[in-house]
């Protein structure tokens, strides 16, 4: 794992300590929609270079939580955030921090596939590169690399210049994963990335996650506890906007410390 | 024919499964009612078309195709040509579009994407109210405010600096093609803005978020995702505005200068098809004059239909090039 001493420091201010690239710390994070509080003070360390799973019943705030990590929550009208999210020790909510810069470093894959319908497959993957000013050759390379990583290349290599809407739902989701990978973020947030996929593509994506954690900090929301057990180094259990338990995945699933966690993973509610 | 057959089959199926006889009768009634209304519209249109052709027959026979290419309009000598009016209508509408489309895009984008939350609703309603102002009010405003302003403030510097171009030549008299174009632009901007606003509101939030999450700025998101997503609808709004500009009578008549000439200058007076009909119809004494005016109405009708067909084709092409863009 590379540390933060690199020649061109990423644009989030200067730093005093040494942090691993892509390490996140969440402190007292609260979020609301139109006055209704959804997240009620979450504090946790998300380690760099590992997969962190977020599990919990539907509506508990998992999506809201990851959307706070790249400052996307605030684009919803009436949505509020308070607390701190530290990327490599720097608060991304500090005054003067540009959310655009934050989002360039913290990418996201959404719960439902959302390719751009007016763009071709190629243009979809290249969309983020275009706004980051990549030249044509580097873009072409990055598009192929990302599509390969997202296990989609073989299926689309002959129709890169056709509309992305011609893809199946699962292919569209992998396209969105490729699109997020292409800009080479340091952190990748994935909100139930495999909920639209068949078992084979799911397996490919899970393999991808395991492979990617060498290079990215991954936060994966999932409904599927087997999936969390398979891919995640650490797992967080969210309930009603509170972080009930957070620890190494094996521990959380085999000997949960909290009663509610135990109830949830044994299927007594949720 | 084919669609009708399919409908009948479906109805048969419903009758077999659902026992509700009254519901079936209601369906029947509704089907016939809608069919009747749809046909009535077509019949009405054909009737208007027929009447116009019949009434313009003397002129059609006397002037033939020359009517379209002649620039002469002399009721005393009974020589009539429609070209200056066609030119005036098309040119003033084009000027209007050139001015109104960027403005409407900017206003609608601001209202949907950038304005503070509390402003969006009220400002949107205000735009729609602007679209409801009667055109004679715009015309009066044009005479008392716009024309003097063009004459004293806008045209002289343009003539001084760009007067070597035919487009900006001539005396600054205020009334003329530019005044008509500007008034039309002001009139169609609210309509186009309202349509574009509706279109932008239908762009799903997840589309914007997907782009923002890639590290795009708001402007990049608007330019690369939001506007392309709505482009078929935006085009539709522009066509709607163009349709209104082509047919607008009152406000144009009040500021265009009403002189049947074709000048290259924006500042020269001109005349539009709708205006000449409105101005001369009640005063036309000779049968051929009347017939010529009706033929101008026929041309206006055809030009409007032609533009609508072209617009349909354009929208169809745009939305077909991007499957899903309109359907979603
Ligand atoms: N745009 C929104 N406006 C208002 N309330 C919202 C909005 N999005 C989510 N919520 C509310 O916030 C709460 C948490 O939603 P969130 O999407 O974070 O849940 P989740 O844990 O991701 O659920 P799921 O597993 O079903 O995706 C829910 O009660 C939901 O109703
Ligand atoms: Mg969710």
């Amino acid at each position: 794992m590379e540390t933060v001493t690199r020649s061109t420091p990423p644009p989030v201010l200067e730093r005093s300590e040494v942090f691993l690239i892509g390490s996140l710390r969440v402190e007292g994070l609260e979020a609301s929609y139109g006055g209704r509080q959804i997240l009620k003070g979450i504090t946790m360390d998300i380690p760099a270079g590992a997969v962190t799973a977020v599990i919990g019943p539907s509506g508990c705030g998992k999506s809201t939580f990851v959307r706070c990590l790249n400052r996307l929550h605030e684009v919803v009208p009436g949505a509020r955030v308070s607390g701190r999210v530290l990327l490599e020790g720097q608060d991304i909510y500090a005054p003067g921090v540009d959310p655009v810069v934050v989002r360039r470093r913290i990418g996201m894959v959404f719960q439902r596939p959302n390719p751009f319908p007016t763009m071709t497959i190629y243009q979809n993957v290249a969309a983020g590169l275009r706004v980051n000013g990549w030249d044509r050759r580097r873009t072409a390379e990055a598009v192929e690399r990302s599509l390969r990583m997202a296990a989609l290349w073989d299926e689309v290599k002959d129709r890169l210049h056709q509309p992305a809407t011609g893809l199946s739902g699962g292919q569209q989701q992998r396209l969105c994963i490729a699109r997020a990978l292409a800009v080479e973020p340091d952190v990748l947030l994935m909100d139930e990335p495999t909920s639209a996929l068949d078992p084979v593509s799911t397996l490919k994506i899970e393999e991808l996650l395991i492979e990617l954690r060498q290079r990215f900090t991954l936060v994966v929301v999932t409904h599927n506890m087997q999936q969390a057990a398979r891919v995640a180094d650490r797992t967080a259990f969210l309930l009603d906007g509170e972080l009930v338990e957070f620890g190494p995945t094996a521990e959380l699933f085999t000997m949960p410390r909290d009663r509610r966690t135990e109830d949830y993973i044994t299927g007594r509610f949720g | 024919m084919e669609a009708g057959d399919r409908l009948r089959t479906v109805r048969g199926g419903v009758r077999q499964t659902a026992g509700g006889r009254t519901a079936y009768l209601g369906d029947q009634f509704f089907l016939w009612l809608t069919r009747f209304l749809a046909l009535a519209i077509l019949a009405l249109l054909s009737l208007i078309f027929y009447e116009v052709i019949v009434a313009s027959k003397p002129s059609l026979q006397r002037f033939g195709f020359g009517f379209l290419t002649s620039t002469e309009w002399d009721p005393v000598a009974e020589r009539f040509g429609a070209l200056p009016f066609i030119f005036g209508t098309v040119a003033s509408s084009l000027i209007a579009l050139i001015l109104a489309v960027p403005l409407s895009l900017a206003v609608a984008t601001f209202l949907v994407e950038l304005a503070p939350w509390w402003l969006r609703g009220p400002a949107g309603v205000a735009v729609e109210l602007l679209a409801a102002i009667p055109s004679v009010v715009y015309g009066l405003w044009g005479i008392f405010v716009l024309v003097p302003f063009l004459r004293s403030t806008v045209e002289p510097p343009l003539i001084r600096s760009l007067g070597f171009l035919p487009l900006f030549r001539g005396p600054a008299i205020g009334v003329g093609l530019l005044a008509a174009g500007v008034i039309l632009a002001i009139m169609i901007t609210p309509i186009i803005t309202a349509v574009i606003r509706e279109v932008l509101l239908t762009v799903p939030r997840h589309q914007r978020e997907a782009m923002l999450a890639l590290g795009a700025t708001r402007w990049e998101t608007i330019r690369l995702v939001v506007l392309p997503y709505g482009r078929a609808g935006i085009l539709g709004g522009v066509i709607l505005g163009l349709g209104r500009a082509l047919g607008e009578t009152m406000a144009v008549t009040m500021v265009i200068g009403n002189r049947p000439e074709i000048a290259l200058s924006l500042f020269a007076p001109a005349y539009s098809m709708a205006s000449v009909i409105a101005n001369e119809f009640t005063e036309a004494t000779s049968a051929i004059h009347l017939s010529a005016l009706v033929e101008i109405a026929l041309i206006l009708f055809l030009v409007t239909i032609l533009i609508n067909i072209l617009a349909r084709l354009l929208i169809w092409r745009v939305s077909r090039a991007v499957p899903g863009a309109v359907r979603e």
Side-chain angles (χ1 to χ4, degrees), chain B residues 53-54 56-65 67 288 291 295:
Chain B
I53 287 186
V54 167
S56 56
K57 210 163 187 183
S59 162
L60 280 167
Q61 276 166 349
R62 176 128 153 225
F63 305 114
F65 266 111
F67 192 74
I288 191 72
S291 180
E295 193 181 343

Side-chain angles (χ1 to χ4, degrees), chain A residues 67 103-104 114-115 117-118 165, chain B residues 206-207 209 212 215 229 322-323:
Chain A
R67 290 165 57 89
R103 296 187 200 120
R104 279 185 192 182
N114 53 359
T118 59
T165 40
Chain B
H206 65 71
Q207 285 287 309
E209 289 182 350
L212 288 173
Y229 192 96
V322 188

Side-chain angles (χ1 to χ4, degrees), chain A residues 103-118:
Chain A
R103 296 187 200 120
R104 279 185 192 182
R105 299 206 44 216
I106 307 182
M108 177 154 188
V109 176
F110 293 78
Q111 190 161 358
R112 266 173 303 179
N114 53 359
F116 302 124
T118 59

